[in-house]
Amino acid sequence: MRQRQIFFYFFFAVALLAAALPAFAQSWAGRGRLQGEIRDEQGNPVEGAKITLRKGTDRVDPNADGPKSITTNKKGKWSVLGLAGGTWGILIEKEGFLPSEGQVPVNEYTVATPLNITLKVIPKEVIQKAQEASGNAKAKVAIEEANALLGESKFAAARARYEEALAVLEMDDPVLKSSLERTIARTWFEEGNTDKAIDTLKESLALNPEDVDSLQLISTLLVSAGREKEADEYMAKLPEGVKVDPNSLLNLGIKLYNEKDLTGALEKFDKVVKDNPELATAYYYRGLTYLGLNKTPEAKADFQKLLEIDPGNPNADEAREFIKAL
């Protein structure tokens, strides 16, 4: 019986100790105190400044264990009790002011000397950059939403979001802006409004005239719209070596061929063959053009090339007949 009582009392004492442990687990708790006053650069008290204290020499982490943050009163004053002795990090934050962070010593056995701190107003250029970042963030969200709408073939809604992104985008990025304008042009084209798509690209090129992708796209759209002369103007602006959509050039060459402008047609077909040497149909039309110019050997070579590349081409039988006749 005696042993059972001893065991009971021992267990009860251990339980009491365990229950008390959490109170001592706060390594930052003690008898120390910090107090101070916060003013602005004109000497006026700053009310509502948030003060966060964390024990140690690391940067202040508001999410780390420590006393609850407090705010200054109308006179800009603050005070915190129950701090362990040692070095403490202090972070002071107030909207419209630059954050202030530093380290202060705490002594549990002496009266704390008040900390007098001056907060500086955030410079205008810093606020401006923050606003720009905000605008760019809005543009990013709008672009992501527009991309999703485009994927659902909701062209008008997608266009509205792309235009919104352009309106709030504040970074000076001509490439990104041209890309957005090309996509807006695509929404017009998908709705069957080629003229509006072309007008959009013209406006884009007026701001960024050397954008290769826009030059290629407007050339293609102009050819498809039967506006070959305008297409030629934009094609001429493309840098050397940049490929134009082969179908656009091919159609342009065919139109010139039908109009009996064989020299002009040959120029287009030459470029198609140069940029796309495996496009069999280009050799067929260039072969016809050579025939019209009485260049029989060149015509025969092109018809043979067509058969070499694509024996099953829709124009293959006609090419064989030409070869036999030449």
Side-chain angles (χ1 to χ4, degrees):
M1 180 71 177
R2 172 81 175 166
Q3 288 179 336
R4 291 182 63 186
Q5 286 179 329
I6 292 173
F7 176 77
F8 173 77
Y9 289 134
F10 175 76
F11 176 79
F12 184 68
V14 170
L16 287 176
L17 178 62
L21 279 177
F24 295 100
Q26 295 175 324
S27 60
W28 53 267
R31 302 175 182 176
R33 176 185 179 186
L34 282 177
Q35 60 184 330
E37 186 175 352
I38 299 175
R39 293 182 175 273
D40 61 21
E41 293 173 282
Q42 282 72 46
N44 301 311
V46 177
E47 181 184 1
K50 179 181 176 184
I51 295 138
T52 304
L53 294 162
R54 292 294 179 265
K55 194 172 188 306
T57 57
D58 294 336
R59 295 288 301 272
V60 174
D61 179 3
N63 297 317
D65 188 36
K68 191 175 181 179
S69 297
I70 61 168
T71 56
T72 54
N73 62 19
K74 291 182 179 180
K75 295 182 178 180
K77 294 184 177 182
W78 61 276
S79 178
V80 178
L81 301 174
L83 304 178
T87 301
W88 281 75
I90 179 171
L91 173 64
I92 304 169
E93 300 170 288
K94 172 68 177 176
E95 186 178 353
F97 293 86
L98 291 171
S100 179
E101 186 172 357
Q103 294 181 344
V104 293
V106 172
N107 191 319
E108 296 186 62
Y109 306 101
T110 61
V111 178
T113 302
L115 301 172
N116 297 316
I117 298 171
T118 300
L119 289 184
K120 295 182 177 180
V121 175
I122 299 175
K124 290 181 179 179
E125 55 269 23
V126 174
I127 296 174
Q128 184 178 354
K129 285 184 179 179
Q131 290 173 342
E132 289 177 359
S134 175
N136 292 332
K138 291 178 181 178
K140 182 176 182 294
V141 172
I143 291 169
E144 289 173 350
E145 292 178 358
N147 289 341
L149 290 167
L150 187 64
E152 297 171 4
S153 298
K154 297 178 179 178
F155 303 118
R159 182 168 58 252
R161 296 299 279 144
Y162 284 127
E163 289 172 345
E164 182 181 330
L166 276 173
V168 299
L169 187 66
E170 296 176 2
M171 66 173 69
D172 186 17
D173 189 342
V175 175
L176 176 57
K177 289 180 179 179
S178 293
S179 176
L180 289 172
E181 286 159 346
R182 280 197 306 277
T183 311
I184 290 171
R186 176 190 165 187
T187 65
W188 285 118
F189 179 77
E190 294 287 357
E191 289 180 331
N193 197 334
T194 302
D195 288 342
K196 192 67 178 177
I198 290 170
D199 289 342
T200 301
L201 291 171
K202 284 184 175 181
E203 292 173 6
S204 175
L205 285 166
L207 298 174
N208 188 13
E210 297 180 359
D211 184 66
V212 173
D213 291 333
S214 295
L215 287 170
Q216 289 176 307
L217 182 56
I218 196 170
S219 299
T220 300
L221 293 181
L222 285 167
V223 170
S224 69
R227 295 157 64 176
E228 291 82 5
K229 288 185 178 180
E230 286 183 79
D232 262 340
E233 293 175 11
Y234 287 101
M235 288 180 187
K237 296 177 182 179
L238 286 167
E240 184 67 29
V242 174
K243 293 183 178 181
V244 179
D245 175 50
N247 290 321
S248 296
L249 271 180
L250 203 60
N251 289 334
L252 191 52
I254 292 170
K255 186 174 187 299
L256 292 171
Y257 176 84
N258 291 333
E259 293 174 351
K260 309 300 182 184
D261 182 1
L262 300 183
T263 302
L266 183 61
E267 179 185 339
K268 303 304 178 188
F269 296 139
D270 277 342
K271 184 164 179 56
V272 176
V273 169
K274 180 182 177 182
D275 292 344
N276 307 272
E278 298 304 313
L279 186 60
T281 303
Y283 292 97
Y284 170 76
Y285 285 109
R286 192 172 70 170
L288 291 179
T289 306
Y290 277 137
L291 281 179
L293 293 169
N294 295 317
K295 295 185 176 182
T296 304
E298 290 88 343
K300 186 174 183 179
D302 271 358
F303 294 138
Q304 288 173 333
K305 187 67 176 179
L306 178 147
L307 295 174
E308 177 187 326
I309 295 172
D310 185 11
N313 188 279
N315 300 305
D317 289 341
E318 191 174 347
R320 290 187 183 94
E321 293 298 324
F322 278 125
I323 290 171
K324 289 179 183 178
L326 294 175

